[in-house]
Amino acid sequence: MNSLNTQDVPEFYDLQLLIDSFPIMLFMKGSPDHPLCGFSKTVVEILKNYTNDFGFFDVLRDESVRQRIKLFSNWPTFPQLYVNSVLIGGCDIVTLLHKQGSLQETLFLKTAL
Ligand SMILES: N[C@@H](CCC(=O)N[C@@H](CS)C(=O)NCC(=O)O)C(=O)O
């Protein structure tokens, strides 16, 4: 069981605002130009096959966001990819969608809503 709960950490950032801040939003470790984890690096490399137009938030720069968003989205790891504020998943799911050929649709049909 996760020992953290949302009252334990200060809410400097409104998570929903962060998630909503770009149609394609990646919560990752490091930045797209300098990923600091292999999983984040993989997702950035895959995304760049489709678009460079995505937002990101480096969870290593804000421990509060890092911990709270895991609870908020019920997803315990990073990266976390959101499209139109909906959590798509992490590295495994993005890699699978890419290999299946459905990531384009996931990224662009949803953003065209
Ligand atoms: N299976 C995961 C792998 C990602 C993962 O294991 N991330 C770890 C190490 S970078 C993580 O975020 N741990 C929680 C944390 O560091 O706060 C995926 O598909 O994204």
Side-chain angles (χ1 to χ4, degrees):
M1 197 177 133
N2 199 323
S3 60
L4 275 170
N5 76 49
T6 43
Q7 278 94 42
D8 290 332
V9 279
E11 299 190 19
F12 298 113
Y13 283 99
D14 181 315
L15 294 180
Q16 193 67 60
L17 280 180
L18 276 181
I19 290 168
D20 295 347
S21 59
F22 285 87
I24 301 173
M25 184 66 190
L26 183 65
F27 291 80
M28 63 178 291
K29 294 187 178 178
S31 67
D33 288 339
H34 191 53
L36 292 174
C37 154
F39 300 114
S40 291
K41 184 168 190 257
T42 297
V43 168
V44 166
E45 282 169 359
I46 290 174
L47 271 183
K48 284 183 172 173
N49 290 308
Y50 300 87
T51 182
N52 287 313
D53 189 14
F54 61 90
F56 77 96
F57 187 92
D58 177 3
V59 297
L60 295 180
R61 303 194 71 138
D62 191 304
E63 189 61 20
S64 166
V65 170
R66 178 177 178 176
Q67 299 306 338
R68 282 188 296 124
I69 202 166
K70 295 178 194 174
L71 301 172
F72 186 83
S73 296
N74 197 23
W75 193 269
T77 55
F78 302 98
Q80 295 183 10
L81 179 68
Y82 295 79
V83 177
N84 283 345
S85 306
V86 175
L87 177 63
I88 303 302
C91 183
D92 294 346
I93 288 179
V94 171
T95 301
L96 186 68
L97 292 172
H98 175 56
K99 286 185 178 160
Q100 284 176 339
S102 55
L103 188 56
Q104 171 100 20
E105 185 182 344
T106 303
L107 294 174
F108 293 116
L109 282 185
K110 288 192 176 181
T111 56
L113 282 175

